[in-house]
Amino acid sequence: MSKMTPEQFHGVRQRMDLIADQAAVERAFDDMAQAIEQRYADKDPLLLCVVTGGIVTAGLLLPRLDIQLRLDYVHASRYRGATSGGELHWRHRPSEAIQGEHVLVVDDIFDEGCTMAAIVDACVADGAASVQSVVLARKERAHATDYRPDIIGLTVPDRYVMGYGLDYKNYFRNAAGIYAAADEDV
Ligand SMILES: O=P(O)(O)OC[C@H]1O[C@H](OP(=O)(O)OP(=O)(O)O)[C@H](O)[C@@H]1O
């Protein structure tokens, strides 16, 4: 995994713009959790966290959900430390565990939409009883697929964003807010 020097890291941090502060993001999580509880109260869903970016979204949703549920993960990525997407690489696809389940796919962002559309298609192909999705953020842009997430926390501008699980060159996933990288850093 590539590294940034402290000088590069602090430069990016100084130039980035705040898009949604911690309070706004936490409110979005409350709303997302409420929507999930309404849809899944009696369904014993299997939440499927999309690793790596979806870890923070799943981790902040779970303690807010007072319903019967289980957790599993898929590992599929397109960006791999870059700021533009490529081909989808599967590293973990729990096909057998998905059969007959009400699956809720959990990710940090719906950008071009290719990742979520491919994961939802894979869950359907693997025999899920139903498949819905939740994302912390949807990018305000044209998407490369007709698929849309069922539950969306926030809409963010069409800029490269980071924080709350979203990375910039493998960093800033731990930022306690959502920030956009400066044009010169993208
Ligand atoms: O809508 P799309 O344009 O397909 O992009 C969205 C995907 O890109 C990011 O993952 P990435 O491939 O960067 O892997 P990561 O989870 O390790 O960050 C993000 O976590 C989503 O899974």
Side-chain angles (χ1 to χ4, degrees):
M1 187 182 285
S2 64
K3 287 172 88 167
M4 289 168 77
T5 64
E7 292 73 26
Q8 288 169 330
F9 177 86
H10 289 294
V12 172
R13 186 155 83 173
Q14 269 183 343
R15 289 184 290 272
M16 67 192 189
D17 300 316
L18 179 67
I19 300 295
D21 66 13
Q22 188 167 11
V25 179
E26 297 293 327
R27 276 197 302 276
F29 275 110
D30 290 341
D31 293 344
M32 292 154 74
Q34 202 179 15
I36 294 169
E37 284 190 342
Q38 279 168 4
R39 285 165 195 244
Y40 286 102
D42 302 316
K43 289 214 167 101
D44 187 7
L46 182 67
L47 268 62
L48 208 55
C49 172
V50 184
V51 172
T52 306
I55 286 176
V56 175
T57 298
L60 290 172
L61 279 175
L62 283 169
R64 287 172 158 88
L65 296 173
D66 188 16
I67 59 171
Q68 181 177 345
L69 62 78
R70 288 153 299 145
L71 177 67
D72 205 339
Y73 75 98
V74 287
H75 196 174
S77 70
R78 294 181 64 218
Y79 288 75
R80 301 202 289 173
T83 54
S84 63
E87 205 182 306
L88 188 70
H89 290 261
W90 284 96
R91 291 198 198 157
H92 179 68
R93 178 174 168 181
S95 298
E96 283 180 19
I98 277 165
Q99 257 192 29
E101 298 288 351
H102 293 293
V103 174
L104 177 63
V105 185
V106 181
D107 205 355
D108 53 358
I109 194 161
F110 188 81
D111 187 334
E112 289 178 66
C114 306
T115 304
M116 184 59 86
I119 292 170
V120 167
D121 282 351
C123 292
V124 171
D126 289 340
S130 69
V131 189
Q132 294 194 25
S133 63
V134 56
V135 292
L136 172 59
R138 180 191 78 85
K139 214 173 258 192
E140 206 164 24
R141 58 165 295 173
H143 303 292
T145 167
D146 290 336
Y147 180 81
R148 296 290 179 271
D150 299 279
I151 301 170
I152 295 168
L154 299 162
T155 300
V156 296
D158 188 12
R159 297 177 60 185
Y160 197 83
V161 290
M162 49 189 142
Y164 272 94
L166 292 151
D167 76 306
Y168 172 86
K169 297 185 179 173
N170 301 316
Y171 290 90
F172 296 100
R173 290 197 199 269
N174 54 320
I178 296 184
Y179 296 86
D183 289 346
E184 67 185 272
D185 293 319
V186 179

